[in-house]
């Protein structure tokens, strides 16, 4: 039951305010995205993104738990008054004529939030999280394997190429003193979701998933399309990136993996944005180091060399992560180089170099923070 009080309502024992009206009151802009069922409020110093039915917001680059999920009711978007006031410090209570029951609800919500905050402080892990601490543990994920061959070239299979290169990367990084883990070190099949779970269990600092790209086209077209691409987990900006993600994700649906899907919905992207924001910048940082290390190599950049899409293998990795499409196995020149002993050694050395320079960059940044 909803209790309307001026421009506020009471639901689920929480007093809520009309988000658009609240925005006008504090001089903030308001933007509603009906397809995604999300909305953004932008004030002078604060930007907050909300989604209907989700109990958290994306505020100034960080995820914030909400006392109640936003609600769409009678054509209005409602958010908890307590949440609105704590996010936008300039705001005032929605109505001084709120009922005693509503006022009590706000107090109870505030007390619960404060209690939750205190609890989080006492239970917070002592160790720094991936992306903020020194880089030590690297997780190498050779894609596909076992019954899943991956893309097929004229003379090779994706699963074999990425495994060989992955082993060489491991060997090179261990010489540099890194602790290196591999999601598979032989020809076995591992579900996409399990790969990220393993990386989390190992408390990795960086997750690198290795793959080979491919296109289904005429021989002439296959000669033209070649090169490497480094992908991060973000909403795709092109139909090509979407198609590549669907191809890599198809293995999960093909082999009946639980909760498998080839593409993420807008609401799922919203959830990921808030949860993975803490790792995104470091994923970009590592991607930059990859581009530097790969420049001058036999396999050149494909397009700009960087893209983003909803790769399921990256979704669960709670650390900086990239998916590296080493080259096009459907292109005879790329395939031959990725198959050759010298080519694999060169590619592995470049990946290892990127990891080392990334580690140095993180260390330098930490020093500027006095850590």
């Amino acid at each position: 039951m909803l209790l309307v009080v001026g421009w506020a309502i009471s639901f689920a024992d929480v007093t809520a305010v009309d988000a658009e009206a609240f925005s006008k009151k504090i001089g903030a802009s308001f933007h509603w995205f009906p397809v995604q069922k999300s909305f953004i409020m932008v004030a002078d110093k604060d930007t907050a993104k909300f989604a209907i039915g989700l109990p958290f917001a994306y505020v100034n680059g960080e995820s914030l738990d909400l006392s109640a999920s936003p609600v769409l009711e009678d054509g209005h978007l409602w958010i908890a008054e307590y949440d609105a006031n704590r996010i936008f410090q300039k705001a005032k209570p929605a109505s001084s004529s709120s009922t005693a029951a509503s006022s009590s609800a706000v107090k109870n919500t505030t007390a619960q939030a404060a209690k939750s905050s205190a609890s989080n402080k006492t239970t917070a892990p002592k160790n720094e999280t991936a992306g903020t601490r020194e880089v030590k543990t690297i997780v190498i994920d050779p894609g596909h394997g076992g019954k899943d061959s991956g893309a097929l070239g004229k003379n090779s299979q994706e699963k074999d190429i990425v495994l060989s290169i992955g082993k060489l990367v491991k060997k090179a990084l261990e010489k540099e003193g890194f602790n290196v883990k591999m999601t598979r070190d032989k020809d076995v099949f591992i579900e996409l979701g399990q790969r990220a779970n393993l990386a989390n269990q190992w408390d990795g600092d960086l997750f690198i998933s290795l793959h080979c790209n491919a296109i289904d086209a005429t021989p002439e077209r296959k000669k033209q399309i070649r090169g490497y691409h480094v992908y991060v987990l973000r909403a795709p900006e092109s139909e090509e990136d979407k198609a590549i993600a669907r191809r890599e994700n198809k293995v999960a649906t093909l082999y009946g993996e639980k909760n498998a899907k080839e593409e993420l919905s807008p609401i799922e992207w919203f959830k990921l944005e808030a949860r993975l924001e803490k790792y995104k910048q470091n994923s970009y940082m590592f991607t930059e180091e990859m581009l530097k290390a790969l420049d001058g190599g036999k396999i050149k950049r494909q397009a700009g060399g960087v893209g983003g899409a909803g790769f399921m293998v990256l979704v669960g990795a709670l650390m900086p992560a990239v998916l590296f499409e080493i080259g096009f196995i459907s292109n005879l020149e790329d395939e031959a180089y990725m198959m050759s002993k010298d080519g694999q050694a060169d590619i592995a050395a470049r990946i290892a170099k990127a990891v080392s320079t990334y580690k140095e960059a993180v260390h330098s940044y930490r020093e500027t923070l006095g850590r």
Side-chain angles (χ1 to χ4, degrees):
M1 179 179 177
L2 297 175
L3 173 63
V4 180
V5 184
W7 62 300
I9 65 173
S10 180
F11 69 93
D13 294 328
V14 174
T15 299
V17 295
D18 182 314
E20 186 170 8
F22 184 92
S23 296
K24 291 180 180 178
K25 180 178 180 181
I26 64 173
S29 61
F30 179 86
H31 309 276
W32 163 238
F33 305 97
V35 175
Q36 298 182 26
K37 296 191 184 312
S38 65
F39 57 95
I40 298 177
M41 300 164 65
V42 183
D44 290 339
K45 298 181 180 179
D46 301 293
T47 299
K49 183 176 181 180
F50 304 84
I52 302 302
L54 298 184
F56 57 83
Y58 186 49
V59 182
N60 298 330
E62 296 184 356
S63 178
L64 176 70
D65 290 336
L66 300 176
S67 58
S69 301
V71 172
L72 175 61
E73 185 72 27
D74 295 330
H76 294 271
L77 295 159
W78 306 93
I79 57 176
E81 182 183 42
Y82 165 73
D83 293 328
N85 286 332
R86 66 179 173 138
I87 292 172
F88 300 97
Q89 299 297 322
K90 297 179 180 179
K92 298 178 181 179
S95 172
S96 59
S97 61
S98 297
T99 64
S102 298
S103 179
S104 174
V106 175
K107 291 180 181 178
N108 289 338
T109 302
T110 304
Q112 290 173 0
K115 182 178 180 181
S116 175
S117 177
S119 175
N120 287 337
K121 288 181 180 179
T122 57
T123 59
K126 296 180 180 180
N127 296 328
E128 296 175 281
T129 59
T132 64
R133 64 194 179 203
E134 295 286 2
V135 180
K136 298 179 180 178
T137 300
I138 311 300
V139 180
I140 305 298
D141 172 49
H144 309 280
K147 60 185 177 183
D148 174 23
S149 63
L152 300 176
K154 183 176 181 180
N155 303 298
S156 64
Q157 300 181 90
E158 178 181 3
K159 67 174 184 177
D160 298 326
I161 289 176
V162 295
L163 179 58
S164 294
I165 294 175
K167 288 180 177 179
L168 292 174
V169 174
K170 181 178 187 292
K171 185 177 181 179
L173 289 176
E174 286 180 336
K175 287 183 179 179
E176 297 295 323
F178 288 96
N179 174 34
V180 185
K181 301 287 187 179
M182 295 184 70
T183 56
R184 69 179 184 96
D185 57 7
K186 54 187 175 182
D187 187 21
V188 294
F189 174 75
I190 301 177
E191 293 185 347
L192 292 184
Q194 182 60 16
R195 294 168 186 260
N197 289 338
L198 287 171
N200 295 334
Q201 290 172 23
W202 293 324
D203 201 18
D205 295 306
L206 180 64
F207 181 82
I208 307 172
S209 190
L210 302 176
H211 293 263
C212 297
N213 218 331
I215 58 168
D216 183 12
T218 64
E220 185 60 33
R221 182 67 172 162
K222 288 182 178 180
K223 288 182 181 179
Q224 297 173 352
I225 305 301
R226 57 183 302 190
Y228 74 81
H229 222 92
V230 184
Y231 289 92
V232 295
L233 183 62
R234 72 181 183 208
E237 298 175 354
S238 69
E239 289 302 318
E240 181 181 3
D241 286 350
K242 286 184 180 180
I244 291 172
R246 283 194 295 268
R247 178 173 64 79
E248 295 294 358
N249 293 340
K250 191 173 182 179
V251 59
T253 56
L254 183 63
Y255 293 110
E257 188 170 336
K258 185 179 180 181
N259 300 321
K261 56 185 64 181
E262 293 184 15
E263 198 165 344
L264 297 174
S265 70
I267 291 298
E268 287 169 323
W269 271 118
F270 179 86
K271 293 179 181 179
L272 281 174
E273 283 179 359
R275 182 164 63 85
L276 299 178
E277 178 64 22
K278 66 181 72 175
Y279 312 117
K280 185 172 69 174
Q281 292 306 318
N282 280 57
S283 295
Y284 291 157
M285 187 189 301
F286 176 67
T287 298
E288 291 178 1
E289 298 303 331
M290 281 283 283
L291 295 179
K292 293 176 186 176
L294 293 167
D295 277 349
K298 177 73 173 179
I299 299 179
K300 309 300 181 182
R301 295 187 191 184
Q302 193 254 337
V306 181
F311 294 98
M312 297 305 296
V313 71
L314 302 182
V315 167
L318 302 179
M319 64 197 69
V322 300
L323 185 143
F324 179 33
E325 296 279 6
I326 301 168
F328 277 78
I329 199 172
S330 51
N331 176 277
L332 291 178
E333 290 187 50
D334 275 7
E335 180 192 25
Y337 193 70
M338 291 188 293
M339 287 178 62
S340 70
K341 184 176 180 180
D342 289 345
Q344 291 181 356
D346 178 59
I347 294 167
R350 293 176 185 276
I351 297 173
K353 180 181 179 181
V355 174
S356 293
T357 53
Y358 167 71
K359 176 184 178 179
E360 293 171 2
V362 172
H363 178 73
S364 296
Y365 178 68
R366 284 171 55 82
E367 285 189 325
T368 64
L369 299 178
R371 295 180 179 174

